[in-house]
Amino acid sequence: DQQVKQNSPSLSVQEGRISILNCDYTNSMFDYFLWYKKYPAEGPTFLISISSIKDKNEDGRFTVFLNKSAKHLSLHIVPSQPGDSAVYFCAARVTGTASKLTFGTGTRLQVTL
Amino acid sequence: NAGVMQNPRHLVRRRGQEARLRCSPMKGHSHVYWYRQLPEEGLKFMVYLQKENIIDESGMPKERFSAEFPKEGPSILRIQQVVRGDSAAYFCASSPPDGDWDTGELFFGEGSRLTVL
């Protein structure tokens, strides 16, 4: 049962444009949603998170939007830079489970010149 | 380096051998998590430990896999009698003690890549 889904395995965006990565979830008990970035042969690094009581969180070029009614969140990167090329994982946590995260399968972002 | 340290980075084993993967959490962190990433898949939770306690092992295969986090020393993920399907990247992550952190953020190591021949 895939509780966190990233339906786009890959995305290609031109440098300077906006990248939008999407994530859908099924478990209503998730209280925190996180985005991680992963380069090949490295561990995931935390990017940005959002509490389920909010609908938007912004940090520099990165903004996460949460639509609870649709059980959907998205990560916006603007402007996109070549160094943003990586795999992006959406993750979610159930209330009261410390940091036991459920991950999506990832979206590979390629930012082209 | 104050980050999560994992070793070995790469491990090759033949079928039937044992694999031991080690993880030292970030300084000040008392919670350790192990995740596995199979090729072309996302990270799957395996086990959550605190010092000398297994808190949640709901993601661990029932046989051949075990984990510990002793009072002294690193956390160890042990896989006995490895099979080809165990080939994967195993990531360790840590988080601060309860009450210090409530966003669910985990700090990951660089992973240990196990190849079973």
Side-chain angles (χ1 to χ4, degrees):
Chain A
D1 176 27
Q2 192 72 24
Q3 297 186 55
V4 177
K5 299 178 186 178
Q6 293 177 259
N7 292 318
S8 298
S10 62
L11 175 68
S12 183
V13 172
Q14 267 191 323
E15 182 181 12
R17 307 291 276 264
I18 184 170
S19 296
I20 301 176
L21 295 94
N22 294 303
C23 178
D24 296 296
Y25 64 95
T26 57
N27 191 338
S28 301
M29 298 300 293
F30 288 142
D31 69 341
Y32 258 97
F33 301 90
L34 305 91
W35 284 93
Y36 278 83
K37 176 179 177 180
K38 185 180 181 305
Y39 293 116
E42 293 186 11
T45 54
F46 171 75
L47 202 54
I48 192 169
S49 65
I50 188 168
S51 164
S52 60
I53 63 173
K54 295 187 176 180
D55 54 20
K56 178 182 175 182
N57 188 25
E58 192 172 352
D59 183 2
R61 296 186 298 114
F62 303 91
T63 303
V64 57
F65 296 92
L66 175 62
N67 182 334
K68 281 186 69 176
S69 60
K71 292 191 172 66
H72 176 83
L73 65 155
S74 60
L75 173 68
H76 292 211
I77 306 172
V78 54
S80 301
Q81 299 173 354
D84 296 330
S85 297
V87 177
Y88 289 78
F89 290 99
C90 173
R93 182 189 78 167
V94 171
T95 307
T97 60
S99 294
K100 177 182 172 183
L101 301 179
T102 300
F103 282 83
T105 51
T107 296
R108 185 178 302 276
L109 174 66
Q110 179 80 32
V111 179
T112 58
L113 296 172
Chain B
N1 188 338
V4 178
M5 302 299 293
Q6 289 190 247
N7 69 82
R9 291 291 309 278
H10 300 274
L11 182 63
V12 179
R13 286 288 178 265
R14 296 190 180 279
R15 281 179 296 168
Q17 291 185 318
E18 179 179 288
R20 283 190 183 221
L21 310 176
R22 295 173 194 78
C23 169
S24 295
M26 279 183 73
K27 189 174 181 180
H29 286 190
S30 55
H31 298 191
V32 165
Y33 301 76
W34 286 93
Y35 282 79
R36 175 165 68 172
Q37 185 182 24
L38 295 170
E40 305 304 321
E41 293 189 14
L43 284 80
K44 299 275 196 241
F45 168 79
M46 298 182 75
V47 62
Y48 161 37
L49 310 104
Q50 294 178 19
K51 286 282 188 183
E52 300 184 283
N53 279 308
I54 297 175
I55 307 300
D56 183 341
E57 56 181 348
S58 57
M60 287 275 272
K62 295 287 184 268
E63 298 178 349
R64 303 187 297 108
F65 285 72
S66 62
E68 62 176 4
F69 188 16
K71 188 176 180 181
E72 301 290 338
S75 174
I76 303 221
L77 179 67
R78 182 182 178 206
I79 312 171
Q80 295 178 287
Q81 299 176 324
V82 296
V83 300
R84 289 220 174 99
D86 297 333
S87 295
Y90 292 83
F91 291 97
C92 172
S94 70
S95 66
D98 290 337
D100 288 3
W101 204 259
D102 195 37
T103 64
E105 180 186 342
L106 287 175
F107 298 82
F108 282 87
E110 294 191 315
S112 292
R113 277 146 189 87
L114 172 65
T115 300
V116 180
L117 301 177

